[in-house]
Amino acid sequence: MITGRILWIGHWLLRIWLAGYLLIYGWSKVFLIQMGQADYADALVQYGEMSPMGLLWRFMAFSPGVQVLAGLAEVAAAAFLLFRRTAWLGALLAAVDMTVVFVLNLTFDVPVKQLSGIMALAGIILLIPNVPRLCRFLVGKTTGPTVARQISTHRIFVAITRWTGPLLAIAMLGGSGAVLENMSDWARFDEPSEIAGIYTVSGGSRPNFGDSQLTQAAFGQLTKAGTAAVGLRYEDGSLQRGTYSVADGNEVTMKLYPQQKGSQSLDRDYEDEATLTYSTDESGNVRLTGQGLETTLTPDPERRYLFDRDFSWEPRVPINR
């Protein structure tokens, strides 16, 4: 009797732990925090330059719908886990969700392999009391009632948890969502800057913040607090990324990380900073001057094809490029 009660207390603690992590990761996908959204600045990154994790992140970022659905699947699993009578369903859904995540983490070299594997295993462990019911369901037999015991049958405990348990579960579910939504300011960005776009470079001289002639530039459209991402490609093939902001008086300030080489951590400092003057014409060309650079940026429709491709329900010639 005591052993059974201890096991059910452990079961309760494990499902609350699993639900907590699922809510963090689930809401971060729903509100497009974890993988973000596709940005012009990524258009200059070539397939062979991406890390496996970068490839997965860009795939998810390109389709917010897929990212949101993946997050909702994790949030749903957490929601079911927070209620005693539906905990078995949450465990089943969590085991499926996290097994898929674990496989993706393994095959795309995402650092949290161990955590996702433990979460998948936790879902399987939580499902154990109801495995016989699932087996009976699979062979077409009557499943019987859900196995969902309380950690205590004391009259006062039961009276208190009858209402406080569900209320705390709802508060945990809604509160975590509200916190993550507030952190993300969900998909609300500033207006894109006038120069947001992807360009090829014509003419001009070598900038003093690059070791080679500038050939391509991409100014991101996803702007928060006046700052967006930027990517620069040089004649020698090197890539440099960073952030940019546009100020009054047609000035653009770029803060650039070291050029992309080998394995670089996400935690890095800016290496260069440049403030340039720009002007635009009716054709969408951008003239940049300052700090050793005097050049014209011409919009590059080929590099924007991924972003400009429209959606259609109608069958049409497949374009797989």
Side-chain angles (χ1 to χ4, degrees):
M1 184 69 176
I2 295 177
T3 302
R5 183 171 299 177
I6 292 174
L7 288 174
W8 278 107
I9 291 174
H11 187 277
W12 178 80
L13 290 173
L14 184 60
R15 67 183 175 92
I16 296 301
W17 173 85
L18 180 57
Y21 267 106
L22 285 168
L23 287 174
I24 294 171
Y25 280 104
W27 285 128
S28 69
K29 291 181 180 71
V30 170
F31 296 123
L32 308 178
I33 300 173
Q34 188 173 3
M35 283 88 174
Q37 297 182 61
D39 187 77
Y40 291 158
D42 275 333
L44 301 187
V45 182
Q46 297 177 356
Y47 186 80
E49 293 177 324
M50 288 185 278
S51 66
M53 180 178 172
L55 176 62
L56 176 62
W57 250 238
R58 288 182 177 90
F59 166 77
M60 295 293 288
F62 180 74
S63 179
V66 171
Q67 194 175 165
V68 170
L69 289 174
L72 287 176
E74 295 176 1
V75 171
F80 288 129
L81 281 169
L82 290 173
F83 296 93
R84 181 170 57 87
R85 295 185 183 279
T86 58
W88 70 272
L89 182 57
L92 177 61
L93 187 54
V96 174
D97 290 345
M98 298 315 301
T99 298
V100 173
V101 172
F102 176 59
V103 171
L104 288 173
N105 289 346
L106 280 179
T107 54
F108 285 88
D109 192 30
V110 181
V112 287
K113 305 175 187 70
Q114 294 84 355
L115 177 59
S116 58
I118 291 171
M119 291 173 69
L121 181 61
I124 294 171
I125 292 173
L126 291 172
L127 192 59
I128 289 175
N130 283 278
V131 166
R133 296 181 64 249
L134 291 176
C135 292
R136 289 196 294 270
F137 171 79
L138 291 174
V139 298
K141 295 184 178 180
T142 304
T143 60
T146 301
V147 180
R149 297 179 185 175
Q150 294 178 316
I151 61 177
S152 175
T153 56
H154 191 279
R155 180 176 57 84
I156 297 177
F157 178 84
V158 172
I160 293 175
T161 57
R162 181 181 181 183
W163 298 108
T164 56
L167 289 175
L168 288 173
I170 294 172
M172 185 175 176
L173 183 64
S176 61
V179 170
L180 268 295
E181 191 278 338
N182 185 63
M183 289 174 58
S184 69
D185 197 21
W186 189 25
R188 288 188 285 271
F189 294 95
D190 301 338
E191 285 294 320
S193 69
E194 185 181 15
I195 62 173
I198 306 164
Y199 304 91
T200 55
V201 177
S202 57
S205 54
R206 180 182 300 175
N208 61 15
F209 51 87
D211 297 328
S212 180
Q213 179 71 40
L214 186 66
T215 58
Q216 293 174 307
F219 294 94
Q221 81 279 24
L222 303 179
T223 306
K224 285 274 191 178
T227 301
V230 64
L232 303 175
R233 177 74 68 179
Y234 297 99
E235 191 175 39
D236 63 1
S238 59
L239 176 69
Q240 191 168 24
R241 307 177 70 193
T243 60
Y244 80 98
S245 58
V246 174
D248 294 336
N250 289 354
E251 283 189 346
V252 56
T253 298
M254 293 186 288
K255 296 181 179 180
L256 303 172
Y257 300 117
Q259 291 185 9
Q260 184 169 287
K261 292 180 181 178
S263 300
Q264 295 176 318
S265 171
L266 289 173
D267 185 16
R268 49 193 168 158
D269 297 323
Y270 294 117
E271 180 181 68
D272 298 305
E273 182 171 344
T275 298
L276 308 173
T277 301
Y278 76 90
S279 60
T280 60
D281 61 25
E282 295 180 355
S283 300
N285 296 328
V286 178
R287 182 73 176 171
L288 281 181
T289 57
Q291 295 201 217
L293 183 67
E294 186 174 347
T295 189
T296 298
L297 308 183
T298 304
D300 187 345
E302 288 301 311
R303 287 286 180 176
R304 277 191 54 155
Y305 191 85
L306 181 69
F307 301 91
D308 295 339
R309 175 70 171 164
D310 64 328
F311 172 81
S312 175
W313 280 109
E314 299 177 1
R316 57 182 176 180
V317 177
I319 299 177
N320 188 357
R321 49 174 283 180

